Amino acid sequence: MSKTSLRMLKDSQKLIVCLDRDWDFQIHSQDIHASMQNIKTSFSSPLRIMEDSQRLIICLDGNCNFQTHSKYLNALRSNIKNTSKELIIDFEHTENFDFMFAVSLFRILRFYNLDTTFINASEKICKILETISAVLPKILQNNRLDTHASSKNPSQNTIKKTSKIFLTPMESLGKSICGAFTKTLDFFNFTGITLYFFCQSILHPSRIRIAPLFYHINQSGFKALPVSILTALIVGSAITLQGAIQLQSMGVPMMSVETTAKLSLREMGPFILALVIAGRSASSFTAQIGVMKITEELDAMKTMNFNVFEFLVLPRVLALVIAMPLMVFLADGFALFGGMLAIKYQLGVGFGQYIDRFYDTVGWNHFWVGIIKAPFFGWAIAMVGCFRGFEVKGDTEEVGRLTTVSVVNALFWIIFINAIFSVIFTKLAI
């Protein structure tokens, strides 16, 4: 009898006790005592329960915080555990509501997998619920939150969030496309802000941070030279060797000099160098700025009224824009030297003969094509690295994830920019 024979409906003025089954001489005294205890505790309970044929309404009154006794949560659990009706939780008369009570409430809702609507929540309560929903997304997977409801009628002003346990492939694809589009817009916005502060620095040269600029030219540029020129040497010699073998089989071995030299100056030197710098500097920029954000150094800079774009972004961007043409010049030289070694090995052509053929057939325009592309490669690498660094939030795992993403994005932009310049120079017959 004690489980189902007594129901209590409470509002602000009265407590209604409903006797659902027979009350006669067969009722045990312990059941009567338990029922009276429930009636006694209900007067001080923060819970009011209203029920009709379709809805079960839980009204949270007064203080619902860490001091709320566990018996009230047990009473809530006992009232909702077997319900098949629509569950509504009303915060209209809630005075105090904290995270501890909210977590306990969500645990109960998650345990019974109930489809729930929250109504009449104040701005503070909404923020608490939204915060917990962000930190513990699975808890609110099947719940619905109405953050703007003010009507006393629970059937109105309710925003329902559809359960998304199983996402279809099309939904996942749509979310991915929307996310990529949003990130692209954010990147263009970040680029616009950087260009604005760059123009401000041009108009006011004193705002350019000279010391960080030279520091990043050295760290991100010149310290990457050993691996960069070694890569250019190896790739240049390998490409030249394969080209010489093919052209030798066609009966025109000397054409391998101008063919591979033009390829090295226009494409292989700048492109291979950019790939190496992207893997080294883009990841470095993302990790540095990301750690600064996690350790709240960026917040400290903003508190001291320091402009993070002038202090962090512009020195890195300008450093690579300045250093990349210089490094491309060196990479071109080592790529050509690797080609000379490969041709001497395969064809037996001496260095003097190679240089004479080179000067006769290769113009300066091929050299300038590679040099012109270099600053744009440096700009793309630095912008992507800094942008992904500012996106870091949470913990160090996010730093590792976005570091990987920044390298991938930088490689994409290098390939894209290289393709654009190839089309342009082809149309201009350069």
Side-chain angles (χ1 to χ4, degrees):
M1 175 292 254
S2 60
K3 293 183 179 179
T4 59
S5 64
L6 184 140
R7 289 184 298 110
M8 289 173 288
L9 304 179
K10 181 183 176 185
D11 59 20
S12 59
Q13 297 180 347
K14 56 185 178 292
L15 173 68
I16 303 173
V17 180
C18 303
L19 305 180
D20 295 339
R21 293 174 56 182
D22 296 333
W23 284 64
D24 52 23
F25 66 92
Q26 295 180 346
I27 297 177
H28 198 277
S29 61
Q30 291 182 351
D31 296 332
I32 298 176
H33 178 72
S35 299
M36 293 303 104
Q37 284 296 113
N38 289 336
I39 294 175
K40 180 179 178 181
T41 57
S42 65
F43 282 103
S44 58
S45 173
L47 304 177
R48 284 188 296 115
I49 302 173
M50 295 181 288
E51 188 175 6
D52 58 22
S53 60
Q54 297 180 346
R55 301 187 303 269
L56 176 64
I57 305 170
I58 307 293
C59 302
L60 302 180
D61 297 343
N63 297 323
C64 298
N65 51 29
F66 69 97
Q67 295 178 332
T68 302
H69 200 279
S70 60
K71 62 185 178 182
Y72 301 130
L73 293 174
N74 293 333
L76 173 63
R77 184 181 288 106
S78 64
N79 278 281
I80 69 175
K81 64 180 180 179
N82 294 320
T83 185
S84 59
K85 302 176 181 179
E86 180 184 6
L87 179 61
I88 298 173
I89 297 182
D90 189 355
F91 294 94
E92 184 177 6
H93 299 289
T94 305
E95 296 178 3
N96 293 319
F97 188 81
D98 65 1
F99 284 94
M100 293 297 295
F101 188 90
V103 170
S104 300
L105 177 63
F106 290 147
R107 283 178 177 173
I108 295 173
L109 298 176
R110 183 187 182 189
F111 182 80
Y112 294 108
N113 196 25
L114 294 173
D115 191 17
T116 309
T117 300
F118 301 100
I119 65 171
N120 297 326
S122 65
E123 183 179 356
K124 177 182 176 182
I125 294 175
C126 288
K127 289 182 178 178
I128 292 175
L129 299 176
E130 290 170 354
T131 300
I132 294 181
S133 114
V135 175
L136 305 173
K138 293 183 180 179
I139 292 180
L140 288 181
Q141 198 172 37
N142 299 317
N143 295 339
R144 298 172 295 175
L145 173 61
D146 181 5
T147 58
H148 304 288
S150 59
S151 172
K152 295 183 179 180
N153 184 359
S155 63
Q156 298 177 354
N157 299 325
T158 302
I159 301 175
K160 297 183 177 181
K161 188 182 291 183
T162 306
S163 176
K164 297 180 180 179
I165 299 176
F166 301 104
L167 292 176
T168 64
M170 291 302 296
E171 288 174 326
S172 300
L173 178 62
K175 282 192 171 185
S176 300
I177 293 174
C178 280
F181 180 72
T182 302
K183 292 297 183 183
T184 303
L185 291 181
D186 291 341
F187 179 71
F188 287 145
N189 184 45
F190 182 82
T191 302
I193 296 174
T194 305
L195 289 176
Y196 169 78
F197 284 110
F198 173 72
C199 294
Q200 291 293 318
S201 300
I202 296 298
L203 296 176
H204 305 89
S206 60
R207 299 173 66 171
I208 300 176
R209 307 296 166 181
I210 302 298
L213 175 61
F214 282 100
Y215 172 81
H216 288 294
I217 289 176
N218 179 54
Q219 288 291 118
S220 304
F222 296 147
K223 284 194 173 182
L225 272 179
V227 65
S228 301
I229 60 179
L230 179 61
T231 304
L233 175 67
I234 294 173
V235 173
S237 60
I239 295 295
T240 303
L241 179 62
Q242 295 301 318
I245 293 174
Q246 297 300 320
L247 292 173
Q248 187 180 24
S249 64
M250 297 170 61
V252 284
M254 292 303 296
M255 285 190 63
S256 60
V257 175
E258 58 262 34
T259 302
T260 56
K262 292 176 182 179
L263 180 63
S264 297
L265 292 175
R266 295 177 68 99
E267 297 293 337
M268 299 309 299
F271 188 70
I272 295 299
L273 176 70
L275 296 183
V276 174
I277 298 300
R280 188 181 186 278
S281 297
S283 58
S284 174
F285 292 166
T286 301
Q288 290 169 0
I289 297 177
V291 171
M292 291 179 69
K293 190 172 183 181
I294 290 178
T295 57
E296 300 181 351
E297 293 181 52
L298 297 184
D299 295 334
M301 293 180 66
K302 294 176 183 177
T303 302
M304 293 185 289
N305 201 27
F306 291 153
N307 191 310
V308 294
F309 280 87
E310 292 181 356
F311 277 83
L312 300 178
V313 180
L314 281 181
R316 287 170 167 82
V317 175
L318 293 178
L320 283 188
V321 169
I322 294 172
M324 282 296 289
L326 303 176
M327 292 191 293
V328 166
F329 175 79
L330 295 175
D332 287 345
F334 277 87
L336 292 174
F337 179 69
M340 292 173 62
L341 296 177
I343 288 181
K344 182 174 179 58
Y345 168 78
Q346 179 65 29
L347 304 179
V349 176
F351 290 165
Q353 188 179 358
Y354 179 95
I355 294 174
D356 291 339
R357 178 80 179 185
F358 178 84
Y359 275 115
D360 291 339
T361 57
V362 181
W364 280 98
N365 61 309
H366 303 293
F367 169 76
W368 289 115
V369 165
I371 296 296
I372 290 172
K373 290 191 290 188
F376 293 91
F377 289 157
W379 170 85
I381 294 169
M383 288 296 298
V384 170
C386 295
F387 172 71
R388 292 300 182 182
F390 281 105
E391 280 196 323
V392 172
K393 53 185 176 182
D395 52 17
T396 52
E397 184 178 354
E398 189 75 359
V399 176
R401 186 184 71 83
L402 285 173
T403 298
T404 304
V405 171
S406 71
V407 174
V408 174
N409 293 159
L411 296 179
F412 166 78
W413 281 108
I414 289 171
I415 296 171
F416 180 77
I417 292 172
N418 190 61
I420 294 296
F421 274 108
S422 296
V423 173
I424 293 175
F425 290 135
T426 300
K427 294 293 183 181
L428 296 177
I430 297 177

